[in-house]
Amino acid sequence: MAQTDFRTPALDALAARIIPREHFVFSTETARDKFFNDTRMLDVKQWVHNVFRTSPTSMVDHMVDNLALTGSEDLLDLGCGNGFILEHIRPHLADGSITGLDIAPAVLAAAKDRLNGTATPCRWIEGSADDLSMLDDNSFDRAMANYMIHYVPDLNRCFTEVRRVLRPGGLFMLTTDRPDSMLEMYDVHFAALEAMGAPKDLVKATPKGRLSLENGQEQLEPYFDEVRLISWQDQLRFTDPAPFMRFYEVGHNHCCASSEEREGVDGEFLSELRDRVRAQVQEAITSKGHFAVTKFTGSFLCQ
Ligand SMILES: C[S@@+](CC[C@H](N)C(=O)[O-])C[C@H]1O[C@@H](n2cnc3c(N)ncnc32)[C@H](O)[C@@H]1O
């Protein structure tokens, strides 16, 4: 099915104007103890990305295509979260196996519950993606790391380890975003911050800038014989500000502004920020019929 191209000269110009080169850096500890100490953030993100998309092909459909499964592969999922992706991939592994690894016990438990009782054997490991010492050499046909690599402290060790545990001919899929993905969300966020005279360092684009679709190829090439990028787009469209605001507040920590404790960014500040963001979203809905958030995302396929 042909993909819709949501890029327009106006969106490109907006990206060039608002997306800064800097990016947020979060530690594994912050991920484990703050963002993923329950499944709320993941639940909200997955719900919004699925329910408000306009592409008939879901994120998981793209992943299933990319993984080219025959049904009997052993799959390793680094940073498996609450198992949402694994649940959808599992029927394609009826005679294979699943190993899910995550640093955060709460989401790992949710993944385990989600796949409980299915016929595909599953193993769950609490740990960091840059230490796979519990796994044997040449033990997987597929490995994947979806929307999580920006949290991993030692990327050199992680990619070396992935190479080690993959069988010859095996495939590693790393999925992430372009830095300007969801730029309409950053636009309303930055405009609100600016109007409030907020600290300048809150104006950073995305936590994924560390390894994005823009700079991932050169970071992966030293570890694999072949690295291929498959990218795709989608556009979330909202005709009511309420679901977008849940996504913005819980799913993205106010575009990362509320991810870490900091002076001046208190409840009152965040409440005003939300009011200002909501007003812009409502204005877009009133004038254009919907508020659009364009996604530029994709996977590196490494062999
Ligand atoms: C945005 S979620 C993505 C979850 C899942 N891959 C998905 O796409 O739905 C990031 C996940 O990475 C996990 N994580 C963070 N740092 C990690 C690390 N160093 N090793 C393994 N998992 C980590 C988090 O606990 C969280 O579940």
Side-chain angles (χ1 to χ4, degrees):
M1 189 182 301
Q3 272 196 59
T4 310
D5 187 357
F6 293 106
R7 274 183 74 178
T8 60
L11 267 192
D12 282 349
L14 181 64
R17 184 167 62 78
I18 67 159
I19 300 295
R21 293 281 104 193
E22 254 186 297
H23 56 84
F24 285 92
V25 177
F26 295 117
S27 66
T28 282
E29 288 72 29
T30 303
R32 184 189 56 214
D33 302 336
K34 193 156 179 201
F35 302 163
F36 304 107
N37 63 354
D38 60 36
T39 64
R40 237 161 43 106
M41 189 194 237
L42 278 170
D43 292 341
V44 168
K45 279 194 190 190
Q46 288 155 355
W47 164 65
V48 161
H49 283 297
N50 209 33
V51 171
F52 297 88
R53 67 187 155 95
T54 49
S55 169
T57 312
S58 72
M59 170 188 79
V60 184
D61 295 335
H62 285 286
M63 291 175 178
V64 167
D65 282 352
N66 289 342
L67 287 169
L69 299 168
T70 63
S72 58
E73 287 81 4
D74 296 310
L75 168 75
L76 170 64
D77 186 5
L78 301 175
C80 64
N82 60 356
F84 172 85
I85 294 172
L86 284 176
E87 177 187 11
H88 290 87
I89 287 180
R90 196 214 53 83
H92 301 270
L93 287 172
D95 297 315
S97 76
I98 285 174
T99 301
L101 177 144
D102 203 285
I103 198 75
V107 297
L108 194 64
K112 187 176 175 184
D113 277 357
R114 200 173 197 129
L115 276 87
N116 182 38
T118 61
T120 305
C122 294
R123 178 182 175 189
W124 305 103
I125 300 171
E126 187 184 322
S128 182
D130 51 8
D131 178 6
L132 306 183
S133 52
M134 73 298 283
L135 301 173
D136 292 338
D137 294 1
N138 303 322
S139 48
F140 294 95
D141 306 292
R142 301 284 184 272
M144 60 183 191
N146 300 314
Y147 303 110
M148 63 75 68
I149 205 69
H150 48 290
Y151 292 115
V152 178
D154 188 341
L155 291 184
N156 170 40
R157 197 162 158 222
C158 174
F159 298 147
T160 305
E161 283 286 86
V162 167
R163 180 73 273 181
R164 179 182 68 75
V165 302
L166 270 183
R167 297 189 176 116
L171 174 80
F172 174 47
M173 176 175 81
L174 186 153
T175 309
T176 185
D177 287 332
R178 249 171 48 176
D180 57 347
S181 191
M182 301 195 277
L183 79 167
E184 299 94 333
M185 176 173 76
Y186 289 107
D187 184 31
V188 290
H189 171 69
F190 291 151
L193 284 178
E194 206 168 303
M196 292 169 69
K200 285 271 173 282
D201 67 310
L202 282 185
V203 185
K204 294 183 185 175
T206 156
K208 300 191 184 109
R210 181 172 165 227
L211 196 160
S212 70
L213 292 192
E214 253 180 20
N215 64 16
Q217 182 88 22
E218 63 262 31
Q219 296 191 58
L220 287 159
E221 272 172 354
Y223 304 91
F224 298 93
D225 297 334
E226 189 192 315
V227 178
R228 214 157 37 97
L229 170 61
I230 307 278
S231 52
W232 69 88
Q233 301 179 7
D234 200 348
Q235 194 169 68
L236 311 178
R237 289 186 190 155
F238 302 89
T239 56
D240 178 342
F244 171 77
M245 291 308 296
R246 273 188 74 197
F247 181 59
Y248 169 73
E249 181 180 350
V250 183
H252 285 268
N253 287 312
H254 306 81
C255 288
C256 302
S258 59
S259 291
E260 309 277 3
E261 305 286 318
R262 53 172 298 151
E263 212 177 310
V265 182
D266 52 15
E268 206 177 314
F269 177 97
L270 293 173
S271 167
E272 180 178 346
L273 181 63
R274 283 195 297 276
D275 287 348
R276 288 179 180 273
V277 166
R278 189 183 299 103
Q280 294 174 81
V281 171
Q282 183 59 67
E283 199 179 301
I285 294 170
T286 306
S287 66
K288 296 181 211 144
H290 64 259
F291 177 62
V293 179
T294 310
K295 285 172 56 178
F296 299 112
T297 189
S299 297
F300 290 104
L301 303 184
C302 312
Q303 277 182 298

